[in-house]
Amino acid sequence: MTAEERIEQVIAFAKKKRDIALVENPDYAARLKYRWQHTLRVVQYGKKLAKREGANAEIVIVACLLHDIAKLSDRSRNVEHGRIGAKMARPFLQELGYAETDVENICYAIASHVDGKADFEHPLTIEAQVVSDADKIDRLSSYRMMLALGKFADSEYESFIAKTKKRLSKSQKASKEWRVQTKSGKEVFQQQISAQVLFLERLIADHEMTLSMEF
Ligand SMILES: [Fe+2]
Ligand SMILES: [Fe+2]
């Protein structure tokens, strides 16, 4: 099997898990759709960083596709979702014919992407760092930010601005506290956060300017 064929199989596996979750909980359609779109964006960021960091591209792509498999299949939504996802992925990856070291590397990247911790022994790898960084970069995308802020009517503008201020301090906190590990990850993360902070600050400044206008 070629790398492309293995990746196709991984995509089919992830989609199948998502579709089963969708049948079980049709109310989660929007959430599962978002999770899959996020997954695909993480793959794009992962590919970009892998190239620049000299990481194994196939390992990164597969781990990115599976990093939120526990969320995508609605098995876990908390901090444990990486470790639960690694357990779900391992037998599938073995069946697909990956070498044991590759299986462990992919599973380590999945398990540790949230908080850097796995529930099995494995050295830190550049692939795991890239997957974790790619995930964090997408978590600050403008699209995610708009979803977090929500749609609003004119009458809800005050609460929208209050939400925006909260979101700004969250982004500023992330900028200081999130552990982005690779050199290129840091660079792209920094671009993301600068754009984000500027965007949110502008929204608030526009609002304040509107309030202070006197005729
Ligand atoms: Fe995640
Ligand atoms: Fe994620």
Side-chain angles (χ1 to χ4, degrees):
M1 217 187 282
T2 64
E4 284 72 27
E5 286 166 342
R6 282 190 294 270
I7 290 167
E8 281 304 317
Q9 295 283 321
V10 177
I11 292 171
F13 173 80
K15 279 183 166 173
K16 199 171 155 196
K17 294 279 178 202
R18 175 202 60 185
D19 292 345
I20 292 169
L22 195 55
V23 171
E24 285 169 357
N25 294 298
D27 292 351
Y28 296 166
R31 179 192 297 161
L32 296 172
K33 186 178 175 194
Y34 172 79
R35 191 54 47 191
W36 180 239
Q37 290 172 336
H38 159 70
T39 297
L40 297 178
R41 287 194 301 269
V42 172
V43 171
Q44 298 304 323
Y45 284 121
K47 272 165 88 170
K48 205 184 205 180
L49 299 187
K51 204 170 174 193
R52 291 171 64 175
E53 294 294 330
N56 181 308
E58 182 178 351
I59 300 283
V60 166
I61 293 168
V62 170
C64 285
L65 281 166
L66 299 175
H67 83 283
D68 273 346
I69 194 72
K71 280 188 174 180
L72 195 64
S73 57
D74 200 42
R75 289 271 300 276
S76 167
R77 275 181 242 148
N78 62 28
V79 70
E80 288 301 314
H81 73 266
R83 290 174 278 279
I84 292 168
K87 286 190 181 73
M88 293 170 65
R90 188 175 277 109
F92 164 71
L93 295 167
Q94 286 164 339
E95 221 173 276
L96 205 53
Y98 277 111
E100 205 46 40
T101 49
D102 289 344
V103 172
E104 291 311 302
N105 194 1
I106 296 166
C107 288
Y108 176 73
I110 300 169
S112 65
H113 84 270
V114 186
D115 54 8
K117 294 175 200 145
D119 50 0
F120 58 93
E121 284 298 316
H122 198 279
L124 179 61
T125 61
I126 188 69
E127 288 78 19
Q129 291 181 305
V130 162
V131 172
S132 170
D133 289 357
D135 181 49
K136 288 185 170 65
I137 289 165
D138 187 62
R139 286 173 62 194
L140 286 181
S141 68
S142 305
Y143 182 64
R144 168 93 163 227
M145 212 52 59
M146 286 315 290
L147 286 181
L149 295 169
K151 292 192 183 109
F152 62 94
D154 281 353
S155 57
E156 295 156 0
Y157 195 57
E158 292 294 331
S159 67
F160 170 75
I161 291 298
K163 246 182 179 177
T164 306
K165 285 182 179 169
K166 262 193 195 161
R167 197 64 232 194
L168 174 63
S169 67
K170 248 187 161 176
S171 291
Q172 286 165 330
K173 202 166 171 255
S175 150
K176 289 192 200 95
E177 293 176 4
W178 285 8
R179 201 169 64 101
V180 177
Q181 303 172 69
T182 62
K183 191 168 169 273
S184 42
K186 280 191 176 99
E187 207 180 298
V188 183
F189 181 80
Q190 211 41 57
Q191 288 165 359
Q192 188 86 297
I193 207 135
S194 303
Q196 218 49 254
V197 166
L198 187 63
F199 168 69
L200 296 172
E201 280 175 347
R202 289 266 166 86
L203 279 176
I204 297 163
D206 283 349
H207 175 66
E208 281 165 3
M209 200 190 236
T210 311
L211 286 184
S212 69
M213 273 198 300
E214 282 175 31
F215 294 96

